[in-house]
Amino acid sequence: MSSNLSGIGMTSQRTRMRMIERLRELGIADEAVLNVMYEIPRHIFVEEALASRAYDDTALPIGFQQTISQPYVVARMIELLIKGRELGTTLEVGAGCGYQTAVLAMLERQVFALERIDALLGRARKNLAQLRLGYVRLKHADGNFGLPEAAPFDTIIVAAASSSVPQALLEQLAPGGRMLLPLGPSAVGGQTLCMLERNDVGVVETRYDAVRFVPLVAGVE
Ligand code: SAH
């Protein structure tokens, strides 16, 4: 391992453990999720100048007006998606710098992730290459259309807010599958985590926490 990964100073095991303790205090109880988030060096996903804040429970800028998601939100979303089952074949929309992709890939063997900003995707690739992960496929694409060639998905996790459910994503949800997305306007407030589960009869919707995500934007750049 390079010294960048070995965990020195602010990026030490103790600092990481504090983040995990914080997640527990906030109610995260899934040991698999907590373990994986302890293992993954979040500091390699942010710029060096921000590395000392990498284990704070906060979103941080990653350039291009985007952010690395707050650890609690990553943990909360994956905990809701995994509850009582396995993630199975998973699609992430909005890979950003690849942090959540890494968490998913350490929990599940088949992970696909889409990102609309090519430069960010390049960074995600570089970051993920530093970790030993299972099968992750990253693609430069507009996540509104999902990934038909790899569908159906047991899990779809959307990391950007939209005012309505993208129909293509719903269509790519497997029987018994779960999709979790922030629904609502991208202006401050107003977004809610929304779970959609496909069962024998149709799709069941459950609303969870109020959240604040960057907007799901159409097209690629
Ligand atoms: N999963 C990231 C969060 C990144 S922020 C993490 O672990 O921190 C959300 C990301 O969604 C941004 O990088 C943004 O560019 C991307 N995004 C927004 N709209 C998108 C779309 N239609 N398709 C794919 N990615 C999109």
Side-chain angles (χ1 to χ4, degrees):
M1 253 192 211
S2 72
S3 62
N4 186 31
L5 284 175
S6 64
I8 40 164
M10 285 305 288
T11 57
S12 69
Q13 307 293 86
R14 200 180 308 152
T15 312
R16 290 193 208 179
M17 190 44 87
R18 271 203 296 275
M19 181 181 90
I20 301 306
E21 281 160 8
R22 179 75 190 132
L23 296 179
R24 282 189 201 278
E25 279 166 24
L26 291 169
I28 303 300
D30 188 304
E31 293 300 328
V33 173
L34 290 167
N35 264 332
V36 161
M37 291 184 70
Y38 175 70
E39 292 290 329
I40 295 176
R42 190 167 182 260
H43 63 277
I44 71 165
F45 292 87
V46 299
E47 280 165 39
E48 234 166 287
L50 293 172
S52 67
R53 297 180 58 201
Y55 298 93
D56 291 355
D57 184 30
T58 178
L60 293 168
I62 54 172
F64 309 93
Q65 295 177 307
Q66 306 303 322
T67 52
I68 180 170
S69 295
Q70 182 190 351
Y72 171 71
V73 174
V74 171
R76 171 75 171 149
M77 288 180 80
I78 296 176
E79 183 172 78
L80 287 170
L81 285 163
I82 213 171
K83 194 171 184 169
R85 57 164 213 156
E86 286 175 1
L87 291 174
T89 303
T90 298
L91 176 70
E92 179 192 30
V93 172
C97 60
Y99 175 68
Q100 180 172 263
T101 320
V103 178
L104 293 166
M106 277 187 71
L107 290 164
E108 188 52 56
R109 277 177 300 126
Q110 289 263 43
V111 176
F112 300 83
L114 306 175
E115 172 54 56
R116 65 176 291 277
I117 301 177
D118 203 27
L120 270 181
L121 192 72
R123 257 187 235 175
R125 269 189 219 291
K126 201 172 120 263
N127 294 336
L128 291 166
Q130 295 183 66
L131 308 173
R132 283 191 211 90
L133 298 169
Y135 182 84
V136 185
R137 194 174 141 209
L138 298 166
K139 191 176 176 190
H140 181 221
D142 181 348
N144 280 294
F145 303 107
L147 190 60
E149 62 265 39
F153 300 100
D154 303 303
T155 296
I156 300 178
I157 181 165
V158 185
S162 129
S163 50
S164 62
V165 179
Q167 276 312 300
L169 293 182
L170 202 52
E171 282 161 18
Q172 291 171 30
L173 197 58
R178 288 181 185 164
M179 164 154 78
L180 192 57
L181 78 168
L183 258 195
S186 53
V188 179
Q191 298 169 11
T192 315
L193 271 188
C194 178
M195 177 81 85
L196 298 168
E197 285 182 86
R198 185 179 293 289
N199 62 23
D200 300 341
V201 213
V203 175
V204 178
E205 184 182 318
T206 314
R207 300 261 171 159
Y208 292 95
D209 325 334
V211 284
R212 195 168 154 192
F213 277 84
V214 296
L216 189 73
V217 177
V220 294
E221 63 183 77

